Amino acid sequence: MFIDMRNISKSYDKVEVIKDLNLKIEDKEFTTLLGPSGCGKTTILRMIAGLETPTAGEIYFDDKCVFSDKEGINVPPEKRNIGFVFQDFALWPHLTVFENVAFGLRARRDTKNIEERVIHALKAVRLGEYRDRYPSQLSGGQQQRVGFARAIVTRPDCILFDEPLSALDAILRDEMRVEIKRLTAELGVTAVFVTHDQMEAMSMSDRIVVLNKGAIEQQGKPEEIYQRPRTPFTAKFIGKSNWLDQNAMFRPETASLEKKDGYKVYRTVVDGVQFLGENYQLYLDAGGKQWIMESPCRYDIGSDVSVYINEDQIVTF
Amino acid sequence: MNRTTDKKQTIVYFTIFVILFALVILPIIAVFSEAVIVDGRFDFSNALQTIIDKENLTTITNSLLLGVLVVIVSTIISTPLALLLARTRYARWKWLDVVLMIPFMTPPYISSMGWILFMQKRGLFQQLFPWTGSISESFFSLGGLVLVMSFHVSPFMTTMLKNAILNIGMNLEESAAVSGAGFLYRLRRVMLPLLTGNYAIAMLLVFVKTLSEYGTPSTLGNRIGFYVFTTDIHRYASTAPIDFGKASSLSGVLVVICMIMWLAQSYTTSKHTYNLVGGKGKKESLYNCRRATELIGGIYIFLIIAVTIGVPYFSVIATSLIKLRGYGLAAGNFTFQHYVELFTNNSKGWEALVTSTFLAVVSATIASIMGTLIVVLIKKAGNWKKVIEGEALLPEMLPNIVLVIGMMLFWNKIYKLLPLYNTLGFLVLVYVVMFLPYSIQYVSSAIMQTGDSLMEAGKVCGGNRSYVFLHVTLPLIMRGVMQGWMMIFIIVFRELVAASLISPPNVQTVSTFIVREFEQGSASVAMAMALICVVITTTLLIILNNVIGKKKY
């Protein structure tokens, strides 16, 4: 299923948070909405789900209109047939794991083979044995997996993820990233994933939509966004960037601390050093600008360092 | 929502608004119009005359004086208690919290009767300590009244202050200590400044409570000839010559004073309290006290319990068991006969119990259903929500007696339209309006604790409005609903003001039964009923804490 948002605007108390947004989410792709907090990404997701009502515009699921302010169409969330994974899991504390997952089927009176289907969904997230537990008896990661099972059990055309990993610790987060990617690929559904974590976005997405202040800054494959950012905002928000001036930057790994032919040399002074385990991160003073470079060895603060930059890799705006 | 649902919502909000307007606002308007409209014309002179009438001026000054004195005394009682319960080893004795709440949970008219029976001429005190002569009779004075009322409200103040102190967190004090501040310096420069707002709020609330209180002034106050707002309003509204104009004028003044206090209270809350809740869970944090300090603290707590609980309950129980009052506390002069009497030859007692149970069950159920529906329906109502909540919570800010007078006036006026006045149904209605705020507050806080996402998850999973309400919202807030129900049951079961003003002829409730028997000299029967009443409500309260109070999830 593809999702098409046309000329969508949304205001809260006259403050416009989304302004004339046009966004198409492709069928069976994993699309990530990435941006700083307050950029409107969660609002967009909730408008797709029907949990928020746009002030203006239209939303199509394939060819079916689910929202249109002109036509007065607003399909309620329970009729949109989507899965939604919540940031705070939103598991019902008074229901068992089984009943949490079965809820969507029961609500739709679709109770044929319910046992089998719920167990199937629970097995898909490897929680088959936890069916009779209550949410409070599960760890954070397990709770998130129940939330995921609940979202897939009704075989939705599309699953929406609202920062689902931000409540988990770093190790679980890595694990769940792989798992979510695996499951959505297996199910062959359209997935829309909201996050402010660029690593999450890069590692999981087929396509990233970078948002800033309610508008799209850039969209494309993760590699495209990283290597060829189109605006200074994207360059700064995603990855590390060293700036030559206001409109030119390079990624640290494209430069070198060793002399290379054809590279342009810049003199810098070491401002600070951080040991990161696999290497050292240097904070360099490049004529008033702060650059970051990685280095295999420690430098003394105040020492001079030459940075060699491949001019082909400089991105200008 | 698109426009049609918008419209539907607005109709729902408006309907709730109108119902509450009729139930709450119109009676208040009735009070004021009764005061200032004479023969169909505005006439402020009557109201003014009532107010500046010498007798009523005394009433007003009496009330204010009583309020101020009770605030002072209860602050003096509560401050050390709050510190002891928050920062010393006694903080670990959780049962103390419960025990110390008993005076607040005891109906004031019952504990006043206990005190009267204890201190009066040839009362229990004189029987126990005959050598003291008539010294105990000096209790029948303003001082005694202030003490009894302070004993009643100080648990409320203690709890507020204790929670405020716990909120401060030890780290602020510890950082002061590390900076070299001693205990008294810390108290003066850290604790007290942070607590000023809480003190002000607690004092204002105690003041309002004292002014609105009817039970103690009507038993002890009337006996010593110390008349206040509530007793005078009650007298004008119930004893011949009945004068609703005067009752309304006094009610008006009382309402204005209370509203000013509430405004001051909410202003203080917004301006002078600090947001001290940090991200980290607070660890238990106690002072290292010297043994002697702890011992003195322990003695203080014991004394408070002995005086505020021991005395009234001792005299209620003893009186209910004494065979012949003339013989007093003597071996062989004890009997259960008064309890038996309640249920046998005095069928009125049994009837009163049935009536009160009926009133409590019905009012609590209606109020809980209404409260739940209102809270759930107006959850997303924006400005409507503020208005409707304001209406629904207003009865809590009004002295009960004023609300009762207002509803009497209003429902009397529309008697031809709706002949509810003078029936048990009217009493139910008054209780529903009076205690709707309890239900709303319990349910609101339950709903606040359940995040929006739980309901949203229900919707995206395919549940429609009623399905989500029945399967998600209601189970999650049921605890709050039940807590509200129990609180309302307990309070209605022994409520005095409304029962004494608007019970239909020949219908007695537990409270009016107790008061009447007490006034007619059957103190033992009255106290037997009082004890049964307290036992029933306390049992329910324990159930409330243990069964419903436990969080299952």
Side-chain angles (χ1 to χ4, degrees), chain A residues 262-276:
Chain A
Y263 282 34
K264 196 173 174 191
V265 65
Y266 283 82
R267 308 272 168 221
T268 65
V269 180
V270 177
D271 242 1
V273 184
Q274 275 184 4
F275 179 54
L276 297 183

Side-chain angles (χ1 to χ4, degrees), chain A residues 90 103 121 150 306:
Chain A
F103 186 96
R150 187 174 69 181
S306 298

Side-chain angles (χ1 to χ4, degrees), chain B residues 251-282:
Chain B
S251 297
V253 179
L254 181 54
V255 169
V256 170
I257 295 176
C258 287
M259 288 299 147
I260 292 172
M261 292 296 148
W262 279 106
L263 284 179
Q265 192 267 136
S266 79
Y267 174 81
T268 321
T269 310
S270 61
K271 295 281 162 173
H272 295 284
T273 49
Y274 300 87
N275 189 4
L276 292 162
V277 183
K280 273 192 176 171
K282 279 184 200 79

Side-chain angles (χ1 to χ4, degrees), chain A residues 46 49 51 53 69 72-74 77-78 82 84 86 88 90-95 103-104 106-108 150, chain B residues 1-3 451 453-465 467-468 471-473 475-476 552-553:
Chain A
R46 290 168 59 84
L51 294 170
T53 311
D69 73 313
I73 296 172
N74 189 10
E78 63 265 26
I82 40 163
F84 199 109
F86 288 81
D88 61 355
L91 300 183
W92 301 295
H94 60 300
L95 300 179
F103 186 96
R106 289 197 201 285
R108 293 190 169 87
R150 187 174 69 181
Chain B
M1 302 297 130
N2 55 24
R3 274 148 228 146
S453 59
L454 291 178
M455 281 55 132
E456 288 172 349
K459 279 196 234 162
V460 291
C461 282
N464 58 26
R465 256 193 128 165
Y467 192 90
V468 172
H471 290 86
V472 180
T473 316
L476 289 175
K552 267 182 278 176
Y553 23 78

Side-chain angles (χ1 to χ4, degrees), chain B residues 184-468:
Chain B
L184 286 177
Y185 190 82
R186 286 193 321 253
L187 203 63
R188 195 157 53 85
R189 296 302 300 273
V190 181
M191 294 281 268
L192 287 178
L194 286 172
L195 288 176
T196 340
N198 303 85
Y199 261 105
I201 294 164
M203 287 161 109
L204 286 166
L205 289 177
V206 164
F207 187 79
V208 172
K209 268 183 187 302
T210 307
L211 246 57
S212 317
E213 175 60 55
Y214 172 73
T216 310
S218 75
T219 38
L220 186 53
N222 282 356
R223 184 158 173 149
I224 60 173
F226 192 85
Y227 301 109
V228 294
F229 273 121
T230 51
T231 48
D232 267 3
I233 295 170
H234 194 277
R235 183 161 53 87
Y236 285 133
S238 63
T239 326
I242 287 179
D243 187 339
F244 274 109
K246 283 188 179 167
S248 301
S249 302
L250 279 183
S251 297
V253 179
L254 181 54
V255 169
V256 170
I257 295 176
C258 287
M259 288 299 147
I260 292 172
M261 292 296 148
W262 279 106
L263 284 179
Q265 192 267 136
S266 79
Y267 174 81
T268 321
T269 310
S270 61
K271 295 281 162 173
H272 295 284
T273 49
Y274 300 87
N275 189 4
L276 292 162
V277 183
K280 273 192 176 171
K282 279 184 200 79
K283 56 183 194 313
E284 186 192 56
S285 43
L286 305 177
Y287 291 146
N288 287 317
C289 290
R290 259 174 289 161
R291 259 285 147 85
T293 321
E294 275 181 354
L295 191 69
I296 294 169
I299 292 172
Y300 181 72
I301 295 175
F302 174 78
L303 276 178
I304 291 288
I305 293 176
V307 174
T308 62
I309 305 169
V311 170
Y313 276 89
F314 166 72
S315 68
V316 167
I317 294 171
T319 308
S320 76
L321 293 174
I322 285 174
K323 205 183 278 172
L324 284 167
R325 301 258 309 284
Y327 291 106
L329 296 167
N333 193 24
F334 291 106
T335 174
F336 281 105
Q337 177 204 333
H338 305 300
Y339 289 88
V340 180
E341 243 174 64
L342 271 184
F343 298 102
T344 53
N345 69 359
N346 194 340
S347 71
K348 281 217 141 99
W350 175 245
E351 279 169 24
L353 267 176
V354 173
T355 308
S356 282
T357 311
F358 167 82
L359 283 172
V361 170
V362 176
S363 319
T365 308
I366 298 177
S368 298
I369 294 173
M370 267 181 79
T372 309
L373 283 178
I374 291 178
V375 170
V376 172
L377 285 173
I378 66 167
K379 197 174 154 219
K380 292 262 156 74
N383 285 333
W384 277 106
K385 178 173 167 169
K386 278 183 210 147
V387 175
I388 292 172
E389 263 182 357
E391 277 185 319
L393 295 180
L394 195 59
E396 198 180 32
M397 298 196 268
L398 289 177
N400 288 346
I401 194 162
V402 175
L403 186 73
V404 176
I405 299 278
M407 290 190 76
M408 280 168 85
L409 292 168
F410 177 69
W411 287 85
N412 223 335
K413 285 213 172 80
I414 62 163
Y415 186 79
K416 286 199 184 112
L417 217 66
L418 263 175
L420 198 59
Y421 191 77
N422 244 344
T423 63
L424 217 50
F426 184 56
L427 204 45
V428 169
L429 183 75
V430 170
Y431 285 140
V432 168
V433 175
M434 201 181 269
F435 300 115
L436 185 61
Y438 284 72
S439 170
I440 289 192
Q441 281 159 343
Y442 276 102
V443 177
S444 291
S445 86
I447 264 206
M448 291 232 286
Q449 284 165 18
T450 53
D452 275 348
S453 59
L454 291 178
M455 281 55 132
E456 288 172 349
K459 279 196 234 162
V460 291
C461 282
N464 58 26
R465 256 193 128 165
S466 53
Y467 192 90
V468 172

Side-chain angles (χ1 to χ4, degrees), chain A residues 64-268:
Chain A
K64 190 189 168 216
C65 177
V66 293
F67 176 82
S68 164
D69 73 313
K70 283 197 199 86
E71 316 248 330
I73 296 172
N74 189 10
V75 177
E78 63 265 26
K79 300 258 165 63
R80 291 198 183 188
N81 195 30
I82 40 163
F84 199 109
V85 181
F86 288 81
Q87 179 171 19
D88 61 355
F89 317 141
L91 300 183
W92 301 295
H94 60 300
L95 300 179
T96 59
V97 166
F98 183 92
E99 285 302 327
N100 260 284
V101 177
F103 186 96
L105 298 172
R106 289 197 201 285
R108 293 190 169 87
R109 302 186 193 289
D110 176 15
T111 48
K112 208 172 145 199
N113 298 333
I114 189 167
E115 175 95 13
E116 208 182 302
R117 286 152 77 193
V118 171
I119 294 296
H120 183 76
L122 281 175
K123 279 194 177 141
V125 296
R126 287 180 284 156
L127 283 176
E129 286 127 64
Y130 294 83
R131 52 171 291 168
D132 293 325
R133 298 247 190 133
Y134 282 91
S136 58
Q137 296 165 314
L138 302 178
S139 70
Q142 290 168 334
Q143 288 184 25
Q144 190 56 280
R145 294 217 290 269
V146 177
F148 192 65
R150 187 174 69 181
I152 61 174
V153 74
T154 52
R155 301 247 148 220
D157 306 314
C158 156
I159 300 181
L160 309 175
F161 297 88
D162 183 12
E163 307 211 23
L165 306 182
S166 61
L168 304 178
D169 63 54
I171 295 170
L172 263 173
R173 212 156 36 211
D174 279 354
E175 221 178 276
M176 287 298 294
R177 247 194 243 170
V178 178
E179 198 147 339
I180 288 177
K181 184 73 195 169
R182 173 179 68 83
L183 278 160
T184 49
E186 271 174 25
L187 292 165
V189 292
T190 309
V192 186
F193 191 97
V194 158
T195 182
H196 61 262
D197 182 331
Q198 39 147 332
M199 286 305 285
E200 244 167 67
M202 302 272 229
S203 59
M204 298 170 78
S205 318
D206 297 319
R207 191 174 186 75
I208 293 177
V209 179
V210 182
L211 292 155
N212 183 29
K213 294 180 184 156
I216 297 174
E217 286 276 333
Q218 186 173 356
Q219 49 182 319
K221 291 205 176 81
E223 292 84 352
E224 249 172 71
I225 302 246
Y226 183 79
Q227 286 156 6
R228 291 192 296 282
R230 234 182 284 139
T231 61
F233 174 82
T234 310
K236 278 181 200 153
F237 189 70
I238 292 165
K240 289 170 187 145
S241 53
N242 293 335
W243 294 80
L244 297 158
D245 58 56
Q246 283 210 327
N247 296 313
M249 59 72 79
F250 63 95
R251 299 291 187 196
E253 66 276 9
T254 62
S256 165
L257 296 175
E258 283 157 29
K259 190 173 164 75
K260 284 199 173 168
D261 287 343
Y263 282 34
K264 196 173 174 191
V265 65
Y266 283 82
R267 308 272 168 221
T268 65

